[in-house]
Amino acid sequence: DPDCRRGMIWDEARQDKEILAYYKKWINIRKDNLSLRKGSIEFTNIDDNNNSFEIIRKYKNQITKVLVDVKNYKVKIID
């Protein structure tokens, strides 16, 4: 894939603002959630037929569930 080796587009007018906003959103979610940064990780409800699974992150008294639907490219976080 030639795009994986392409250099950074420094001209802000040509940058993909949508993808940048998407990554910033997920970075902020992780920053704001201690269990996502420091918690233990448990993979559960693995469903090979539907290409989905659940991740449970636990840190002290905080539990966060991350539902991942690989087939439909969806992620949902439940505190």
Side-chain angles (χ1 to χ4, degrees):
D1 183 5
D3 286 333
C4 67
R5 296 191 181 268
R6 191 162 291 164
M8 170 69 181
I9 299 172
W10 293 104
D11 180 4
E12 288 188 25
R14 295 179 43 226
Q15 291 177 355
D16 186 341
K17 302 287 192 279
E18 187 177 334
I19 195 80
L20 177 61
Y22 176 82
Y23 279 104
K24 282 184 174 184
K25 174 184 131 183
W26 285 106
I27 289 168
N28 286 327
I29 288 170
R30 186 173 183 273
K31 279 183 182 177
D32 294 341
N33 193 312
L34 202 54
S35 64
L36 289 178
R37 289 185 284 128
K38 295 186 173 189
S40 62
I41 300 173
E42 178 185 348
F43 291 88
T44 63
N45 297 324
I46 298 169
D47 185 344
D48 290 331
N49 294 327
N50 291 313
N51 291 328
S52 64
F53 60 94
E54 179 179 275
I55 303 167
I56 299 174
R57 301 290 308 257
K58 295 177 184 177
Y59 184 74
K60 295 186 178 178
N61 64 343
Q62 184 181 30
I63 298 172
T64 303
K65 292 182 181 182
V66 180
L67 308 176
V68 180
D69 179 351
V70 178
K71 184 187 275 184
N72 297 307
Y73 303 103
K74 293 182 182 178
V75 176
K76 183 176 183 180
I77 295 179
I78 302 170
D79 281 328

